Amino acid sequence: METRKKVDIVVINWNSGELTMEAIAPYLNYNSSYISCNVIIVDNASTDGSINQLKNQANILIKNKENAGFGKACNQAYKECDGDYILLLNPDTVSNVQVLEGLVKFMENNPRYGITGPTQLVKPGSPLKSCARFPTFFTALYEILGLSKVFPRIFTPAPQMTDWDHLKSK
């Protein structure tokens, strides 16, 4: 019998209580035969009262006295994580648990991968092309001179990855 996987869902909140509530709603107390979810929210010193909205929602709520920034807040949350997987979920995200279950199954079936992410959609069937290559001097030069647009097979398009179908796995 398969062991149920625990997913720690990390959300960094800063003055976005309503959005954060909507983002975490599908995961609150979610348990299936395959995964269970644990919601961890780090509030980066919100001034809009959102901490009051969130205080009884998360499994773990970390309250910062100042806006620590995204990276530091993620590191604070990581210290509280003990799940099999961690999902970084932006407050302005609309998602569902079926996608999360699919991601966990993908990771379980592909143990040589260390990270995965779903296709982000602007609207159904319309992917958000949000991934990018690490910028280099040459990719910036190719972009400025227009070479990457005219000859993309010769000159690497930079830096945003618009040269592949974002509805397919890569």
Side-chain angles (χ1 to χ4, degrees), residues 9-164:
I9 298 167
V10 173
V11 182
I12 310 305
N13 180 68
W14 183 71
N15 293 331
S16 56
E18 288 288 323
L19 290 173
T20 299
M21 286 296 297
E22 289 174 31
I24 65 172
Y27 304 104
L28 293 173
N29 303 310
Y30 181 80
N31 289 295
S32 73
S33 61
Y34 195 66
I35 67 169
S36 66
C37 296
N38 181 48
V39 177
I40 301 169
I41 298 174
V42 179
D43 184 79
N44 259 340
S46 294
T47 58
D48 67 345
S50 53
I51 192 76
N52 294 323
Q53 285 180 284
L54 302 170
K55 67 181 170 186
N56 296 319
Q57 299 302 319
N59 299 96
I60 298 172
L61 177 62
I62 299 168
K63 302 175 202 175
N64 285 333
K65 292 182 182 190
E66 62 184 23
N67 187 339
F70 183 77
K72 185 173 182 180
C74 284
N75 287 334
Q76 289 176 285
Y78 295 155
K79 290 177 184 173
E80 301 297 325
C81 292
D82 65 358
D84 300 290
Y85 296 98
I86 299 171
L87 170 67
L88 291 177
L89 186 67
N90 283 344
D92 62 347
T93 302
V94 176
S95 62
N96 65 55
V97 292
Q98 290 77 25
V99 172
L100 179 58
E101 288 207 16
L103 291 171
V104 170
K105 286 177 183 174
F106 175 85
M107 293 301 290
E108 289 294 303
N109 293 326
N110 296 279
R112 61 191 182 99
Y113 289 97
I115 189 170
T116 189
T119 299
Q120 295 177 310
L121 301 175
V122 177
K123 58 184 180 186
S126 180
L128 175 66
K129 297 180 178 180
S130 61
C131 56
R133 292 176 180 86
F134 191 80
T136 67
F137 171 78
F138 289 107
T139 56
L141 182 65
Y142 301 157
E143 189 74 11
I144 291 168
L145 296 175
L147 296 171
S148 58
K149 288 182 177 49
V150 179
F151 305 107
R153 289 195 172 149
I154 300 170
F155 300 99
T156 305
Q160 194 161 2
M161 298 173 82
T162 58
D163 53 320
W164 57 279

